[in-house]
Amino acid sequence: MFPIYKKELQSFFYTPFAYAMAMLFMLLFSLSFSTGIAKLDNSHTWAFSFTEMFYSVILYFIFLLPILTMRTFADERKNGTEVLLMTSPVSTGRIVIAKFLANITVYLFMLAGTVIFPIITAIKGEVVMSQLICAYIGIFFWGAMYIALGMLISAFTENSIIAAIIGEVVMFALLFVDDFANTPFISQYPAIKKFLYAFAAQPRFSYFSEGFIRLSDLTFFLSAIIVLLIWTYIVIEKRRWNRG
């Protein structure tokens, strides 16, 4: 499993891809940070809970994560290297996990750069540490779930661009599931509303960003990650058996 993980990381870090992704994300995060500062007047202490900032970050990641995951399996099929992967002695489960961990590593690399902003804030003002730590935990699990989703989408196609586009559409749709559930029409049907809320990640992340860690929210994200990875395993394993 480690050789595949290492190979995936090399495909990210031996090319400008990971650095370009991190730089773009840092630019967007910096703009949100600067905007938050601009809204303060001179009579207020420079204090951030980072709650609003992490809500903005979610929108950025909705754009970036499909780009991160689009190549996971699609490029293997497009470049013909999938045959080598499928005929390797490594099990399908280990392949999926290795690729997932490689994507997670890049994701953490992107998040690590944002640590400078709480440090700057702590020097100039104050940081609500409980909310900050919980927000980072929440954004990690939220991102891990969407990475698993992006990998599943990538497993269905050999075109990475199509994988990215479908990923954008699906992730944006999931982002507004709770808003859709609260529309007057859906509210007339409590059973449907409850069903839709079961798939809503946004309200669960809001608890993290406000400084709360609930077991039910952790269970939701972990369960979603496991289910999505299992589905990815099934898709790849089916194709592996079809190849003989």
Side-chain angles (χ1 to χ4, degrees):
M1 187 173 76
F2 181 75
I4 296 175
Y5 169 76
K6 182 179 178 181
K7 170 183 169 292
E8 290 295 311
L9 281 187
Q10 289 175 344
S11 71
F12 287 123
F13 289 104
Y14 283 14
T15 65
F17 185 81
Y19 306 103
M21 290 278 289
M23 185 173 64
L24 178 58
F25 174 68
M26 285 295 291
L27 174 62
L28 295 171
F29 198 97
S30 299
L31 290 174
S32 293
F33 188 76
S34 301
T35 302
I37 294 172
K39 291 179 180 178
L40 298 175
D41 56 53
N42 294 329
S43 63
H44 286 77
T45 303
W46 187 10
F48 280 114
S49 68
F50 282 84
T51 299
E52 293 183 4
M53 288 207 59
F54 276 101
Y55 271 115
S56 300
V57 166
I58 280 182
L59 293 176
Y60 302 150
F61 275 128
I62 287 291
F63 170 71
L64 293 173
L65 289 182
I67 299 175
L68 174 65
T69 59
M70 66 182 184
R71 307 186 307 167
T72 307
F73 291 104
D75 274 8
E76 298 280 4
R77 297 179 68 184
K78 181 181 178 180
N79 299 329
T81 54
E82 186 185 53
V83 177
L84 297 175
L85 197 64
M86 297 300 178
T87 55
S88 69
V90 182
S91 67
T92 303
R94 290 176 179 271
I95 292 172
V96 172
I97 292 173
K99 286 179 173 287
F100 176 70
L101 291 177
N103 281 298
I104 288 292
T105 302
V106 177
Y107 179 59
L108 288 173
F109 174 71
M110 294 166 63
L111 280 179
T114 66
V115 175
I116 189 174
F117 296 103
I119 294 174
I120 293 173
T121 304
I123 294 173
K124 297 292 184 178
E126 61 184 83
V127 174
V128 182
M129 290 303 298
S130 60
Q131 290 185 340
L132 178 66
I133 293 171
C134 289
Y136 269 111
I137 293 173
I139 200 69
F140 169 76
F141 281 107
W142 180 91
M145 182 187 72
Y146 277 90
I147 285 173
L149 175 61
M151 288 177 55
L152 175 62
I153 294 170
S154 179
F156 280 107
T157 177
E158 64 179 26
N159 189 314
S160 57
I161 302 300
I162 292 177
I165 293 172
I166 295 175
E168 298 282 357
V169 172
V170 174
M171 291 180 190
F172 266 110
L174 290 176
L175 185 64
F176 297 106
V177 164
D178 57 316
D179 292 328
F180 179 66
N182 286 322
T183 57
F185 175 75
I186 297 298
S187 296
Q188 300 177 64
Y189 307 97
I192 298 176
K193 181 177 180 179
K194 184 177 180 180
F195 175 78
L196 290 173
Y197 253 102
F199 295 94
Q202 191 76 352
R204 301 174 190 279
F205 172 72
S206 67
Y207 283 99
F208 283 99
S209 64
E210 292 169 7
F212 300 100
I213 297 179
R214 303 191 308 174
L215 181 60
S216 59
D217 298 329
L218 285 173
T219 303
F220 170 82
F221 285 114
L222 288 172
S223 299
I225 291 167
I226 292 170
V227 168
L228 289 167
L229 290 178
I230 289 174
W231 284 350
T232 304
Y233 165 82
I234 292 171
V235 172
I236 301 302
E237 183 70 5
K238 183 176 182 296
R239 197 153 59 239
R240 194 173 198 174
W241 279 99
N242 288 340
R243 289 181 177 276

